[in-house]
Amino acid sequence: MQISDMQTPLSFDKWRRIFEESFPSLDKYASVYKDLHQHPELPCQESRTAAVVAGHLEALGYQVQRNIGGHGVVGLLNNGPGKTVLLRSELDALPIEEDTGLPYWSKVEQVDMDGYTKRVMHACGHDMHMASLLGAADLLWKVRNAWSGTLICVFQPNEERLLGAQAMIDDGLFEKIPLPDILLGQHAVPTRAGTIGTRPGRVLGFLDSLAVRVYGKGTHSSTPELGIDPILMASCIISRLQTVVAREIDFKEPCVVTCGYLHGGTDASIIPEFADFKVDIRSFDKDIQHTAIKAVKRIIEGECHTSRSPKSPRVLTSAHCPPIDNDEGATAKFTRALHIFYGDEAPAKVVEMDLDITADDFVLLGHPPGKNPIPYVYWNYGVTPRDEYDRAQTDGTLRDLPFNHNPKFAAEIEPSLRAGIEGLVIASVLFFES
């Protein structure tokens, strides 16, 4: 069905006027964004961040619940009969040293869950997500006489390790809130600032993260023949893992196997007893995912045997995340609403979301225990400074722009913030009135 054939019940002339009259101060939420950006916190340590968002929700008038599944925060607005809509943002940041040159850059250091002191940065856009959701909560509060239903704002901890959504569920999230009729989530991406990208069906992929320890035999570095080197063992494994996609996966099937963490030893003169590394396996197909996981485990075990490891490797699945499959009808309806709302600006503002092999545990919120699955819509919005994006597009260097999880990743606050607020509010009022 073409977008133009979809029925969308909203009167957008009314909503444009309401937005213009009640839109919250972008300066206010830009300040919130800068504060959150300057004070990032690692997964499971988001206490200050949670206090900031909870305080804003309480000041607006929301019923607030804290410390769900860790530092999770829920803001509830019961605004009469009607649908229940859940909006989600994340709280946590990344162990990355910022290199943006921004006047509000992060100087934060924290000890992570592995016991190492690391610099911390909002390099994934969660600071923009929070500011956008708080701005949307503000706007929806101001115009509450124009809609009816129940709004739930969820600020989830520990998304970067893909464990926070399940932790909130296990802590009774769906016993503390009304069961939503629809879930809405968005993510900042390095496309042109102010654009909103939508896509029906599958948009994000499978992820399995493996935490691996391989064992050696310690000795002095001058007598390697008397020991078994686990660092060399891990290095050989990591190198060989790159053959999984190249030699065992059909070239037509996207799949990525990446090691982003390797640690072993305490000094150059000591061959240690063990080495640790972590592997992410990503794809869009369940069978491909299983094939890749089996290949990775086979290579780990085989290399350890070849290297005369004194005992079997320890391989733990530290995170598993299913793919995100947008509800096709709801996504088409939302896309149609965006086109109507933006009118002549829509061709430049509403774009097709790229299929992305990353993962997000937002999907788990769509499967409350003992309940039917909840439909959801998950979309992207661009945050890359417009002049940088346009220049890179002209030069053919879009791949050189800082991607999420890069130390130079930085958002152009406006119009990114406005797009983040508008996307959430347009979707909310759309589904409240549906």
Side-chain angles (χ1 to χ4, degrees), residues 33 88-90 124-134 185-198 334 338 342 349 351 353-354 378-384 404 409 411-413 415-424:
Y33 165 77
R88 189 216 64 166
S89 173
E90 312 91 317
C124 198
H126 295 179
D127 45 358
M128 181 59 72
H129 301 176
M130 288 183 278
S132 297
L133 180 47
L134 289 172
Q186 61 180 0
H187 206 292
V189 294
T191 53
R192 195 175 194 271
T195 58
I196 297 176
T198 66
F334 175 53
L338 291 171
Y342 289 120
K349 291 184 69 72
V351 300
M353 177 180 176
D354 289 335
Y378 182 97
W379 66 91
N380 286 341
Y381 64 118
V383 298
T384 297
N404 303 65
F409 183 77
E412 183 179 22
I413 298 176
S416 303
L417 183 56
R418 176 178 283 274
I421 294 172
E422 287 182 342
L424 290 172

Side-chain angles (χ1 to χ4, degrees), residues 110-130:
Q110 284 185 314
V111 178
D112 73 1
M113 295 179 66
D114 297 316
Y116 301 107
T117 299
K118 296 179 179 177
R119 297 294 292 269
V120 187
M121 175 192 175
H122 269 299
C124 198
H126 295 179
D127 45 358
M128 181 59 72
H129 301 176
M130 288 183 278

